[in-house]
Amino acid sequence: MAPSIDNSKCVLVTGATSGIGRALALAIAALPSHPKVIGVGRRKDRLAGLKDAGIDAEEFDVNADRVKTKDFVEEMIQKYPEIDTLVLAAGVQREVHFKKEVDLDAIATELHVNYFSILAMISFFMPHFMTKSASGQPCLIAPVTSGLAYIPAPWIANYSASKAALHSLCSSLRVQLEDTKIGVIEISPPLVESELHDAEGTTEALSKFWMPLSEYTKETIEGFQRGDNVVCNGMAKNAYEQFEKPKEQMVSEMAKRAATHSK
């Protein structure tokens, strides 16, 4: 089990200007434990709405190179030294049709935003979290993956691939950090009410099947409070239990062996 979000003192949420990221930022800010919440996003017009809800708003586009990402992380640590929790919810989703012209730049951006930017941010925050852990303070890292990490979707294969890689990263981190006070919670949503699908014009069709954002947020916060290692809902939970849970022990043992060799 990971530390409960109820123990968090300062939570940084990326992707906080829309969708799941925004909903989680608002819900965490409303917890009885009253943690400070830092909402990170690239859309200035929406950052003002976060401030109105009592959230510290910070402008940053996660589709940045590693130098800019490192500079941003160092700025956040200096400005908010109490940061002990990351909720990494920024993401994009694009369809790819190989019978048509494939936009390789768009694919590179999708893979960067959905995986590498998260890997980079975790890496740059890790020394700060290790220091806090050594002092006895629990910390929490919570990337948002997807139920599509377990069942690839043919038209959004790159999205599925990036989320599958992030799922593997969560498993690896959990094993490597088991002797610390840094917990890892994988947030694995099903199809949820979101603007994520607007770019492809599929919002109206998918709205007939998606999980309402309010219902999803409530269930996810409950999993956060319990400290579940994997917080998944709806069809994502079914896919996780059917396809991933039986493999968890094997993956865990492999990660432990790899961690032992790397020491």
Side-chain angles (χ1 to χ4, degrees):
M1 299 291 284
S4 169
I5 192 73
D6 290 333
N7 296 323
S8 298
K9 302 184 186 318
C10 184
V11 183
L12 184 143
V13 183
T14 65
T17 53
S18 66
I20 289 173
R22 180 178 183 276
L24 290 178
L26 293 171
I28 292 169
L31 287 172
S33 53
H34 301 298
K36 176 185 284 293
V37 176
I38 306 157
V40 178
R42 59 184 173 81
R43 290 182 271 194
K44 290 183 180 180
D45 56 326
R46 297 195 176 186
L47 290 173
L50 295 178
K51 293 178 182 178
D52 293 341
I55 294 173
D56 286 28
E58 297 288 347
E59 183 183 354
F60 183 68
D61 186 349
V62 298
N63 187 30
D65 62 34
R66 69 185 69 178
V67 174
K68 290 181 180 177
T69 300
K70 185 177 182 181
D71 288 345
F72 173 75
V73 170
E74 291 176 349
E75 178 188 347
M76 291 298 97
I77 292 172
Q78 183 174 13
K79 187 174 180 179
Y80 306 101
E82 66 272 28
I83 291 175
D84 56 13
T85 298
L86 301 177
V87 178
L88 303 166
V92 294
Q93 184 184 104
R94 298 290 182 265
E95 292 186 0
V96 178
H97 300 273
F98 286 99
K99 292 181 180 180
K100 303 177 183 179
E101 183 178 357
V102 175
D103 188 339
L104 295 177
D105 289 334
I107 292 174
T109 296
E110 183 175 16
L111 295 175
H112 178 83
V113 170
N114 291 349
Y115 180 71
F116 188 77
S117 70
I118 294 173
L119 172 62
M121 195 162 286
I122 291 171
S123 299
F124 294 140
F125 266 108
M126 190 59 71
H128 173 71
F129 278 15
M130 289 295 290
T131 299
K132 285 193 172 296
S133 171
S135 72
Q137 182 175 340
C139 297
L140 187 58
I141 299 170
V144 175
T145 63
S146 170
L148 293 175
Y150 319 136
I151 306 178
W155 306 116
I156 49 174
N158 299 296
Y159 180 80
S160 295
S162 62
K163 294 301 186 178
L166 195 54
H167 165 64
S168 295
L169 176 63
C170 289
S171 299
S172 179
L173 283 169
R174 197 173 293 120
V175 171
Q176 292 189 37
L177 297 172
E178 66 179 354
D179 61 347
T180 73
K181 289 188 173 294
I182 306 170
V184 179
I185 291 180
E186 177 184 351
I187 307 171
S188 181
L191 177 62
V192 176
E193 177 185 357
S194 173
E195 299 172 27
L196 185 67
H197 317 286
D198 289 357
E200 300 297 336
T202 55
T203 299
E204 183 177 355
L206 294 176
S207 66
K208 298 178 175 63
F209 310 103
W210 65 27
M211 185 176 191
L213 183 58
S214 58
E215 179 183 347
Y216 169 78
T217 303
K218 179 178 181 296
E219 291 187 12
T220 299
I221 289 296
E222 290 171 354
F224 254 137
Q225 291 179 301
R226 290 191 300 268
D228 294 345
N229 284 338
V230 180
V231 178
C232 49
N233 327 67
M235 291 300 294
K237 184 175 183 179
N238 296 338
Y240 170 74
E241 291 181 346
Q242 183 174 355
F243 298 108
E244 291 302 312
K245 203 168 185 179
K247 296 187 293 184
E248 270 194 344
Q249 187 59 43
M250 179 179 68
V251 173
S252 176
E253 291 302 321
M254 290 173 61
K256 285 179 181 178
R257 287 197 294 271
T260 299
H261 291 317
S262 67
K263 290 180 178 178

